[in-house]
């Protein structure tokens, strides 16, 4: 009996130790600590986000005049680079909803638009304009980290809930919405106004995600620095709700300092040049 008690005690101890270890391991991979936003509600569950995102994606694909998607079959090299960069960030161990979202990426062929956006469910769209505008892969990874954060933190579902209301979004999820309602949402996608707090969270999470990759972690700041230096006559989604890009650069760099992550070593530029050269001229 005594030996059994010891066995039980030892095995209970091992279970507790395993639990403690798994907790501490989990903490290492915990989501990036960021600014809290209130109120921060969404219309429904993450599986509903996926259904909504899939419906919106179908509508985007069916609207080539507004969203001319670069055909994957004709541009496999461009898509392989975009997916490689996305996967580098996805595999950072910092994405809370990594296994729950679709993470489908599409390129929109419009060189005059410096933008990227995401929809509920983790569908991400990147314009050729922003890929060509940026100088290296680390800076582009910063932008992708920002969009991946909007998806991971469900910002588009939360913002759409505020903008369109729960019943309209649920109608779309349940297949009861009119074509006009879906078209209305799709038409407003690239100008969806996130709150300043959501933008701050996306910037901070971009740094946090990239801190666990080989990219320099403050890549997101480069976009603001470059557009600010050029006078910034075009206002993409990244700048739409924040009047002062300098504040965002300072905030991104402060987060990098707080995390103690690498801000200097750029990846070889050659792969990014190949990415840019694989796009239509
Ligand atoms: Zn944003």
């Amino acid at each position: 009996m005594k030996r059994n008690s010891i066995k039980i005690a030892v095995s209970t101890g091992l279970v507790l130790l395993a639990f403690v270890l798994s907790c501490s391991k989990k903490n290492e991979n915990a989501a990036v600590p960021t600014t809290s936003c209130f109120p921060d509600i969404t219309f429904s569950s993450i599986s509903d986000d996926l259904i909504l995102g899939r419906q919106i994606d179908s509508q985007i694909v069916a609207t080539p005049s507004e969203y001319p998607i670069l055909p994957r079959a004709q541009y496999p090299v461009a898509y392989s680079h975009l997916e490689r960069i996305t996967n580098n960030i996805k595999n950072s161990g910092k994405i809370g909803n990594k296994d729950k979202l679709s993470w489908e990426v599409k390129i929109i062929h419009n060189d005059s638009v410096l933008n990227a956006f995401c929809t509920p469910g983790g569908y991400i769209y990147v314009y050729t304009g922003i890929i060509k505008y940026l100088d290296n892969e680390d800076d582009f990874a910063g932008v992708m980290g920002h969009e991946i954060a909007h998806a991971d933190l469900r910002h588009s579902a939360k913002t759409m809930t505020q903008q369109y209301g729960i019943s309209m979004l649920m109608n779309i999820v349940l297949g009861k919405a009119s074509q006009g309602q879906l078209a209305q949402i799709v038409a407003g996608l690239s100008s969806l106004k996130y709150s300043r707090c959501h933008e701050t969270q996306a910037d901070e999470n971009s740094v946090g995600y990239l801190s666990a990759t080989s990219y320099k972690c403050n890549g997101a700041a480069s976009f603001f620095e470059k557009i600010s230096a050029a006078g910034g006559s075009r206002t993409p989604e990244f700048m739409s709700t924040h009047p002062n890009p300098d504040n965002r650069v300072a905030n991104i760099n402060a987060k990098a300092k707080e995390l103690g992550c690498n801000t200097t070593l750029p990846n070889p530029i050659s792969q990014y040049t190949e990415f840019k050269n694989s796009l239509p001229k």
Side-chain angles (χ1 to χ4, degrees):
M1 282 295 277
K2 208 171 183 183
R3 185 172 284 182
N4 279 346
S5 303
I6 292 168
K7 264 188 187 168
I8 289 166
V10 168
S11 48
T12 307
L14 284 175
V15 168
L16 279 173
L17 181 64
F19 178 72
V20 169
L21 286 175
S22 73
C23 284
S24 59
K25 190 164 181 247
K26 200 177 172 192
N27 281 340
E28 276 172 28
N29 292 330
V32 185
T34 48
T35 306
S36 298
C37 298
F38 300 101
D40 210 27
I41 49 164
T42 181
F43 75 105
S44 197
S45 67
I46 206 159
S47 56
D48 288 332
D49 284 11
L50 274 168
I51 298 170
L52 180 61
R54 206 175 304 130
Q55 302 235 33
I56 291 172
D57 181 66
S58 304
Q59 182 72 20
I60 286 174
V61 171
T63 320
S65 55
E66 179 82 11
Y67 300 106
I69 302 292
L70 203 66
R72 186 178 292 264
Q74 286 171 37
Y75 294 92
V77 177
Y79 275 94
S80 71
H81 281 292
L82 180 58
E83 281 161 0
R84 175 180 56 77
I85 296 164
T86 305
N87 285 335
N88 285 341
I89 302 167
K90 257 177 65 188
N91 294 329
S92 64
K94 301 282 184 186
I95 315 284
N97 287 310
K98 176 179 175 254
D99 299 326
K100 295 178 187 165
L101 300 173
S102 78
W103 304 117
E104 259 191 54
V105 284
K106 289 195 168 94
I107 301 170
I108 300 175
H109 184 195
N110 188 335
D111 287 354
S112 65
V113 179
L114 302 183
N115 209 356
F117 64 90
C118 71
T119 69
Y123 292 81
I124 296 174
Y125 306 82
V126 185
Y127 284 87
T128 50
I130 197 163
I131 300 169
K132 292 183 179 182
Y133 181 74
L134 292 169
D135 298 314
N136 62 64
E137 186 164 318
D138 297 65
D139 296 347
F140 180 72
V143 168
M144 285 303 288
H146 178 99
E147 290 306 321
I148 286 171
H150 277 317
D152 188 28
L153 301 171
R154 304 177 70 196
H155 288 162
S156 46
K158 290 169 182 172
T159 305
M160 282 183 185
T161 303
Q162 283 195 321
Q163 195 162 329
Y164 300 107
I166 292 171
S167 64
M168 179 166 157
L169 298 178
M170 280 313 293
N171 274 348
I172 294 173
V173 168
L174 298 171
K176 292 179 181 171
S178 68
Q179 195 59 25
Q181 285 177 317
L182 194 53
Q184 183 192 344
I185 285 178
V186 168
L189 267 181
S190 56
S191 57
L192 195 66
K193 294 275 186 286
Y194 294 119
S195 69
R196 184 182 293 197
C197 186
H198 282 168
E199 293 300 346
T200 302
Q201 279 190 330
D203 285 345
E204 290 176 348
N205 269 54
S206 177
V207 177
Y209 300 157
L210 265 56
S211 73
T213 69
S214 62
Y215 295 121
K216 70 173 184 179
C217 62
N218 62 341
S222 304
F223 173 80
F224 299 112
E225 288 170 331
K226 185 164 183 176
I227 204 161
S228 185
S233 60
R234 293 182 278 187
T235 53
E237 182 270 314
F238 307 108
M239 295 179 73
S240 59
T241 55
H242 201 301
N244 187 350
D246 292 342
N247 286 351
R248 290 182 74 171
V249 169
N251 189 46
I252 288 166
N253 287 332
K255 191 72 187 173
K257 197 172 178 187
E258 177 195 325
L259 296 177
C261 51
N262 171 36
T263 58
T264 52
L265 287 175
N267 271 269
I269 287 174
S270 57
Q271 274 192 311
Y272 196 66
T273 304
E274 193 186 298
F275 182 20
K276 289 208 253 191
N277 288 341
S278 68
L279 298 171
K281 299 289 175 277

